Amino acid sequence: MTSVIRSCWLSAIAAILAVAIGATSAAAQGVTTAALTGVVKDSQGAVVPGATIVAVHEPSGTQYTAVSQGDGRYNIPGMRVGGPYKLTAELQGFGTEEKTGVSLSLGVTTDVAFDLKLAAVSETVQVVGEVNPVFSSGRTGAATAVSRDELATLPTVTGRITDITRLTPQYGGGGTFAGQDNRANNITVDGSYFNNSFGLGTSTGGIGDRTGVAPISLEAIEQVQVSVAPYDVRQGNFTGAGVNTVTRSGTNSFTGSGYYRFRNESFVGKEAVGQVFNPGTFDYKVMGGWLGGPVVKNKLFGFVSVEKQEDSRPLNTFRANLGGEPVAGNVTRVLASELTALSSFLKTNFNYETGPFENIPKKTPGTPWMVKGDYNVSGANKITFRYNQLNSSTDVNQSGSSSLGTSRQTFSSNFLNYANSNYKILENLKSGIGEWNSAFGTFTNNLIVGYTFQDESRDQLATLFPFVVIGDGSGNPITSFGSEPFTPFNLLSYKTFQAQDSFTKYSKNHSLTFGGAIEKFHSDNSFYFGLQSAYSYNTLADFYTDATGYLANQNRSVSPVTLNIFQTRYLLQSGQTTPPMQPLDVVYVSGYFQDEWRPRSNLTV
């Protein structure tokens, strides 16, 4: 009885330590591969050590081998996700058993057992089986896996990964999982961080939030895994979910595809609960293609994906009042005649182009592309490299903040501004990642090294013109013109270097994993608004009075009382012509250890 109690206590302590150690791996990354495990037995149910297990990824010919240990168990980590795989188990004196049609899921260790019969009484047995990884003993914690076939058939409007991750039961919308902010997720692609690290533009919490363009086409993704509570020390750095993605690789066959997708206002409803809705005129087009194949059969493979997006839609559908019209729906209180006259006055007297005040387009061009290579150096060493790039931008309406000028009710029937008072936001990305998986005897090693550069700056204005807000006489603005108030010197770029190495030793009943990870983050940020100066007038008549006085008196206003607010900002550093930058450096370092203990064939601690 005492020995039973002691055994229970030891098991409990081991489980607690596993959870505690896993919790310390805050800088660990996601996983990029799958794994196989299982037990080899004979016809009497006794374990068979020394059997050779060979797994062949049939599309690429990539081969993995393992030998069953003293307890009959074999382990093959670091395998390509997907399939199908052909598995073979053999040992001298026994017949050979084959299993085909096996597919592997990202981050999941799939159990496949073998029963070898004596060669004298049996012939080769071929078993065609399907393994459901949901019930795999290697699957610990809440997780959702989406395969290539599912990615190809699931509907998507945005083309972004959130259209896929919403299949997770814990998904709460907007990229949130388990009730956590989407910035608490850890998003990885082929092991490289794909987070919105600075925290701006948090519609999903991932790269591409600023413009809404997917950094990697869904056509180039092999599998997606969402882990909410993994018990794997290699997965961490989140309190929401770990979203791990693996991109596609080339195979021994040349395959490719070209596609064209489009959407416009004819696909959108015009009425809701009896209320007429005007979606405006918009045009969304995506053209792309991908190609994969062998460079050297069974040895070296390549995959490339290119996509071009063009999205043009109304920035808003509000319009000016033609005079006497009721202010309702998309009709504003701002008179078209006054806006037209003001634009003409500025062009004639200050050579400033305001741009239109209606039917302003929001254009979002985007070009994501990716190239990937896989090299089977030998049966024990495999190297993967992926590089991808995104160039995108989108038009954004001017801010309504009161930090510069008077607070403005943009996107409402009370206010209408000109096109040239808006700005563009950029979302540019360059990312490269390399992975080396190796196996020697009962040891395996996984090394990941990557570098990512992101630019989320505002596109800088070619010329600066004072920002001016015009009111209705009662303190409520009706329009504005001039350079967008917060765009000059609004810059943000950041770089991330990362490295992670995981070493695993397999022995009877135990898999010991040791590892370490480092992430070095550097950002440069400038937010220096007001450089162009800002003016606020109570009425349009006040502006005309002040502007006319300025023009007639050589840069000196004769009626300063008409000016409501004046603001400006200037640099004290003599001769400084570059934006004042605020650098930020952060380094995360972690070490971790994990013991995966299998006291029984159906129990893993």
Side-chain angles (χ1 to χ4, degrees):
M1 184 68 177
T2 303
S3 61
V4 173
I5 296 174
R6 183 184 299 113
S7 177
C8 291
W9 269 111
L10 289 173
S11 299
I13 292 171
I16 294 170
L17 286 174
V19 174
I21 293 171
T24 65
S25 61
Q29 298 164 201
V31 294
T32 62
T33 58
L36 269 176
T37 190
V39 176
V40 183
K41 297 182 179 180
D42 61 19
S43 57
Q44 305 301 315
V47 296
V48 178
T52 299
I53 295 85
V54 178
V56 179
H57 182 257
E58 294 187 280
S60 67
T62 303
Q63 182 172 300
Y64 306 86
T65 60
V67 176
S68 59
Q69 303 301 304
D71 59 350
R73 181 170 291 276
Y74 69 92
N75 294 279
I76 310 180
M79 301 178 68
R80 287 177 61 155
V81 299
Y85 276 88
K86 181 173 76 172
L87 311 180
T88 304
E90 59 184 358
L91 179 64
Q92 187 174 5
F94 291 85
T96 300
E97 183 178 2
E98 290 184 356
K99 297 192 177 185
T100 60
V102 177
S103 293
L104 305 182
S105 296
L106 176 62
V108 175
T109 301
T110 302
D111 274 317
V112 178
F114 289 93
D115 294 312
L116 299 184
K117 295 179 173 58
L118 291 174
V121 297
S122 65
E123 298 179 353
T124 298
V125 178
Q126 180 172 325
V127 180
V128 178
E130 294 185 2
V131 178
N132 185 353
V134 172
F135 299 102
S136 167
S137 65
R139 184 189 183 98
T140 54
T144 300
V146 185
S147 68
R148 176 65 236 162
D149 290 340
E150 292 166 326
L151 286 167
T153 55
L154 286 169
T156 174
V157 175
T158 66
R160 304 203 65 192
I161 198 71
T162 45
D163 282 355
I164 306 302
T165 56
R166 64 184 178 182
L167 297 173
T168 305
Q170 294 84 3
Y171 184 69
T176 64
F177 295 91
Q180 299 294 320
D181 188 282
N182 57 33
R183 286 169 291 193
N185 300 329
N186 185 28
I187 302 173
T188 64
V189 176
D190 294 328
S192 64
Y193 292 118
F194 255 58
N195 298 312
N196 189 337
S197 301
F198 203 82
L200 299 179
T202 56
S203 58
T204 68
I207 294 176
D209 278 357
R210 310 301 299 278
T211 60
V213 180
I216 296 179
S217 169
L218 287 179
E219 299 284 344
I221 293 178
E222 178 67 29
Q223 279 197 21
V224 178
Q225 178 206 48
V226 181
S227 298
V228 178
Y231 287 85
D232 188 333
V233 73
R234 297 170 300 168
Q235 300 187 58
N237 201 20
F238 65 86
T239 56
V243 182
N244 301 320
T245 299
V246 171
T247 56
R248 298 175 71 174
S249 298
T251 64
N252 277 329
S253 301
F254 282 102
T255 55
S257 175
Y259 50 92
Y260 174 80
R261 307 186 184 102
F262 73 95
R263 190 170 71 250
N264 56 40
E265 69 278 359
S266 63
F267 294 86
V268 178
K270 307 295 191 302
E271 182 179 322
V273 198
Q275 300 295 315
V276 176
F277 169 71
N278 177 20
T281 302
F282 66 93
D283 185 31
Y284 174 78
K285 295 181 290 189
V286 175
M287 298 159 282
W290 58 268
L291 176 66
V295 179
V296 178
K297 194 172 183 179
N298 295 334
K299 197 77 172 177
L300 181 61
F301 310 93
F303 184 90
V304 62
S305 169
V306 180
E307 192 169 275
K308 181 177 177 60
Q309 170 184 307
E310 295 178 358
D311 187 347
S312 179
R313 61 187 63 225
L315 193 58
N316 66 70
T317 58
F318 290 101
R319 67 173 181 84
N321 199 304
L322 299 178
E325 292 184 283
V327 178
N330 66 334
V331 179
T332 67
R333 62 174 181 161
V334 189
L335 295 176
S337 57
E338 291 184 342
L339 294 178
T340 301
L342 177 58
S343 179
S344 178
F345 177 85
L346 293 169
K347 172 62 177 175
T348 301
N349 295 282
F350 295 95
N351 196 32
Y352 173 71
E353 294 280 359
T354 63
F357 52 81
E358 294 176 340
N359 301 316
I360 302 172
K362 176 182 180 179
K363 295 184 178 180
T364 306
T367 308
W369 62 272
M370 183 196 81
V371 60
K372 184 178 182 181
D374 292 86
Y375 181 32
N376 295 334
V377 182
S378 65
N381 292 276
K382 295 170 177 63
I383 296 174
T384 299
F385 176 77
R386 186 261 303 151
Y387 176 82
N388 71 286
Q389 188 168 314
L390 169 67
N391 295 315
S392 65
S393 66
T394 190
D395 293 302
V396 184
N397 200 74
Q398 68 167 249
S399 170
S401 172
S402 61
S403 298
L404 205 64
T406 309
S407 177
R408 302 164 296 287
Q409 290 182 290
T410 56
F411 297 112
S412 76
S413 59
N414 294 318
F415 181 87
L416 200 62
N417 61 271
Y418 297 94
N420 289 350
S421 294
N422 300 326
Y423 65 97
K424 288 182 182 291
I425 195 76
L426 306 178
E427 182 88 54
N428 296 328
L429 165 76
K430 296 178 181 178
S431 177
I433 190 78
E435 182 176 11
W436 178 17
N437 284 289
S438 59
F440 38 98
T442 58
F443 302 91
T444 64
N445 194 74
N446 172 259
L447 174 65
I448 297 176
V449 179
Y451 177 83
T452 299
F453 171 78
Q454 294 165 250
D455 185 3
E456 297 180 6
S457 302
R458 295 194 184 188
D459 197 12
Q460 292 303 286
L461 306 172
T463 59
L464 291 182
F465 191 84
F467 181 67
V468 180
V469 181
I470 308 295
D472 62 359
S474 60
N476 298 311
I478 57 173
T479 190
S480 64
F481 62 84
S483 299
E484 206 282 332
F486 304 102
T487 295
F489 284 6
N490 193 335
L491 307 171
L492 172 61
S493 64
Y494 41 102
K495 310 167 187 175
T496 304
F497 169 81
Q498 60 188 89
Q500 180 180 11
D501 189 79
S502 298
F503 178 84
T504 301
K505 169 67 171 70
Y506 294 96
S507 61
K508 185 178 180 179
N509 296 336
H510 290 272
S511 298
L512 304 177
T513 299
F514 306 83
I518 182 172
E519 177 189 0
K520 186 179 185 303
F521 173 85
H522 173 84
S523 66
D524 290 301
N525 179 227
S526 174
F527 183 54
Y528 190 84
F529 60 90
L531 188 68
Q532 73 275 50
S533 73
Y535 298 78
S536 179
Y537 294 91
N538 288 321
T539 65
L540 189 57
D542 285 348
F543 164 73
Y544 281 129
T545 299
D546 205 23
T548 302
Y550 172 88
L551 293 168
N553 291 273
Q554 299 180 347
N555 302 339
R556 183 174 61 85
S557 173
V558 296
S559 304
V561 71
T562 61
L563 181 63
N564 182 30
I565 295 175
F566 171 74
Q567 295 166 285
T568 189
R569 179 175 290 193
Y570 54 90
L571 296 169
L572 292 176
Q573 295 91 333
S574 177
Q576 181 172 345
T577 58
T578 58
M581 305 299 292
Q582 175 61 56
L584 173 65
D585 287 284
V586 181
V587 177
Y588 299 97
V589 179
S590 70
Y592 48 88
F593 165 73
Q594 174 176 283
D595 179 10
E596 185 177 298
W597 176 38
R598 295 177 299 274
R600 298 171 58 89
S601 60
N602 60 351
L603 175 64
T604 301
V605 178

